[in-house]
Amino acid sequence: MEGFATLTSVVDNALKQTAQDSGMLLGQELVIAAADLIGTNRQTYFSDLDDVCFVAEITASGEYGGKFFAVFGLRDAICLSSFLLGIPPARINEKRRLAIMESDDADAFAEIINQLVGSFNSVFQPAFANKVHLKVVPPRKFIPEETALTETEPVPDGEYLLFRGRMELPGMEMGNLDILIPRPLAELFDPPREEPEAPAEEEPVAEAPADTAGTDAAAAVEEEALPNDGPPRVLILEDDAGDRQLVRELLQERGFEPVEAGLDADIREIVSRGGVRLVVLGIHNGDDRDMAVCIKIKAIAQGERLPIIMCAREWTRSAVLKAVKYGARDIIVKPYRSDEVLAKVEKVLSAA
């Protein structure tokens, strides 16, 4: 299908980032191929489905406002959530064959959807000059020949662009990840090209003398209006003084403004000074005390976006799921490596 080259490139990059980020959470090498672009509509798309799927609604706010949708097959959702929960491959295959999705699987899959939207944000925001922000609601199940199509469910009626990327996991037969974007929203992201109009004949007009003083004054006002918030402030919460110093020096060298404290510090007082955009949280073993710090940070943020990167010396899949549930946007395995710390800090900040 013609057109939408810019949007196709952005979606492909977002799918690639999703595979990388989700693969890290799963402990598996997840690959999502470049998407095929297909024009479709709600009736045709859902009539062609022959298996149960999950539909996640993603809201785009800002100058590119609207809703689009991510669609996973049930068996792919079972596979991904089971890997996140640390279930052995033989049992995963059995659950897929029998279409068994338990409550823990549903919780794990919801976290995978959250990870997907975080990955999409990290690509969409810089691609569209930070004029869009994506949020997701929990996915809903669609059962062919059983779930009724209404004007708004499972997606609103209308014309869509379907971006279909094939998923691959070692040793597993996977299906597609479908991204359904309503055509009006797609044209906001990637407006159709307009044919240039022939220039009209105009009478020559004498030029007025240049008002250089006025021009200089306007330039000065524009320059004053430019925001100058200084370097991003990153809060380092870590009990180990050596680790705190290491992370602080890494961030300072990259131009960030680090603020450091132990886990028992008065976090509310630190955040109240303003400017904190990210927390790097060094934890011990993922016990209740560690997770209580996450809860405290989220409560202090009062709904504002204050992402957390959690760092520990050992991560099991269940510990990763627990960290994500408590608000972690990413994880780091200690000892700290400079390239990993800087890459993840910059990625999370770009998506915040």
Side-chain angles (χ1 to χ4, degrees), residues 164-275:
R164 171 164 285 171
R166 185 76 179 180
M167 294 185 290
E168 298 178 10
L169 267 177
M172 293 288 170
E173 183 178 347
M174 301 293 289
N176 301 312
L177 168 55
D178 287 350
I179 305 296
L180 285 169
I181 302 183
R183 193 175 187 98
L185 178 57
E187 291 179 351
L188 284 179
F189 284 124
D190 196 353
R193 297 180 60 180
E194 297 182 0
E195 293 297 327
E197 296 182 3
E201 294 289 335
E202 294 184 359
E203 295 290 332
V205 179
E207 295 184 2
D211 183 0
T212 56
T215 303
D216 292 342
V221 170
E222 184 177 351
E223 185 174 346
E224 289 178 6
L226 292 175
N228 184 18
D229 297 330
R233 181 173 293 176
V234 179
L235 173 57
I236 307 163
L237 293 176
E238 169 70 69
D239 279 342
D240 188 298
D243 282 345
R244 282 204 311 270
Q245 179 180 352
L246 172 62
V247 177
R248 184 191 71 233
E249 290 175 352
L250 288 174
L251 296 179
Q252 283 176 330
E253 289 176 3
R254 188 55 67 94
F256 298 106
E257 181 184 343
V259 181
E260 58 177 297
L263 296 185
D264 293 326
D266 187 343
I267 301 172
R268 183 178 299 278
E269 192 276 332
I270 297 172
V271 173
S272 69
R273 300 173 197 165

Side-chain angles (χ1 to χ4, degrees), residues 5-309:
T6 298
L7 181 57
T8 299
S9 175
V10 172
V11 171
D12 281 343
N13 288 335
L15 292 175
K16 183 178 180 180
Q17 188 66 50
T18 297
Q20 178 180 328
D21 294 343
S22 297
M24 182 200 70
L25 282 179
L26 302 176
Q28 300 291 319
E29 187 180 353
L30 176 63
V31 175
I32 304 177
D36 294 324
L37 175 56
I38 305 165
T40 188
N41 58 59
R42 196 270 301 269
Q43 183 69 39
T44 299
Y45 177 80
F46 286 97
S47 296
D48 286 345
L49 294 179
D50 55 8
D51 201 358
V52 179
C53 66
F54 286 99
V55 181
E57 176 185 293
I58 302 169
T59 299
S61 59
E63 293 191 19
Y64 303 94
K67 294 180 179 180
F68 63 97
F69 305 88
V71 184
F72 283 85
L74 171 64
R75 286 170 173 77
D76 292 330
I78 292 171
C79 180
L80 296 174
S81 60
S82 296
F83 271 119
L84 184 54
L85 293 169
I87 295 173
R91 173 59 178 160
I92 294 175
N93 282 324
E94 181 183 15
K95 291 176 67 174
R96 294 184 68 182
R97 181 174 58 83
L98 300 174
I100 298 173
M101 192 163 196
E102 301 167 309
S103 59
D104 284 350
D105 298 312
D107 290 341
F109 182 59
E111 298 305 333
I112 291 170
I113 294 294
N114 288 336
Q115 178 69 64
L116 176 146
V117 172
S119 301
F120 266 60
N121 260 322
S122 70
V123 174
F124 269 61
Q125 288 184 343
F128 298 109
N130 292 318
K131 295 178 180 178
V132 63
H133 179 69
L134 307 178
K135 294 170 61 177
V136 68
V137 299
R140 302 182 299 276
K141 185 182 289 187
F142 175 82
I143 304 174
E145 300 182 359
E146 181 175 324
T147 303
L149 294 178
T150 69
E151 287 297 313
T152 59
E153 296 293 339
V155 303
D157 198 8
E159 299 294 319
Y160 285 83
L161 298 188
L162 166 60
F163 295 87
R164 171 164 285 171
R166 185 76 179 180
M167 294 185 290
E168 298 178 10
L169 267 177
M172 293 288 170
E173 183 178 347
M174 301 293 289
N176 301 312
L177 168 55
D178 287 350
I179 305 296
L180 285 169
I181 302 183
R183 193 175 187 98
L185 178 57
E187 291 179 351
L188 284 179
F189 284 124
D190 196 353
R193 297 180 60 180
E194 297 182 0
E195 293 297 327
E197 296 182 3
E201 294 289 335
E202 294 184 359
E203 295 290 332
V205 179
E207 295 184 2
D211 183 0
T212 56
T215 303
D216 292 342
V221 170
E222 184 177 351
E223 185 174 346
E224 289 178 6
L226 292 175
N228 184 18
D229 297 330
R233 181 173 293 176
V234 179
L235 173 57
I236 307 163
L237 293 176
E238 169 70 69
D239 279 342
D240 188 298
D243 282 345
R244 282 204 311 270
Q245 179 180 352
L246 172 62
V247 177
R248 184 191 71 233
E249 290 175 352
L250 288 174
L251 296 179
Q252 283 176 330
E253 289 176 3
R254 188 55 67 94
F256 298 106
E257 181 184 343
V259 181
E260 58 177 297
L263 296 185
D264 293 326
D266 187 343
I267 301 172
R268 183 178 299 278
E269 192 276 332
I270 297 172
V271 173
S272 69
R273 300 173 197 165
V276 175
R277 293 180 51 198
L278 170 67
V279 179
V280 177
L281 173 60
I283 65 175
H284 299 285
N285 52 14
D287 59 15
D288 290 341
R289 173 178 179 262
D290 294 333
M291 297 307 165
V293 177
C294 278
I295 296 172
K296 185 186 298 184
I297 293 169
K298 292 176 71 175
I300 291 169
Q302 296 182 344
E304 297 295 324
R305 295 181 59 79
L306 185 53
I308 302 169
I309 298 177

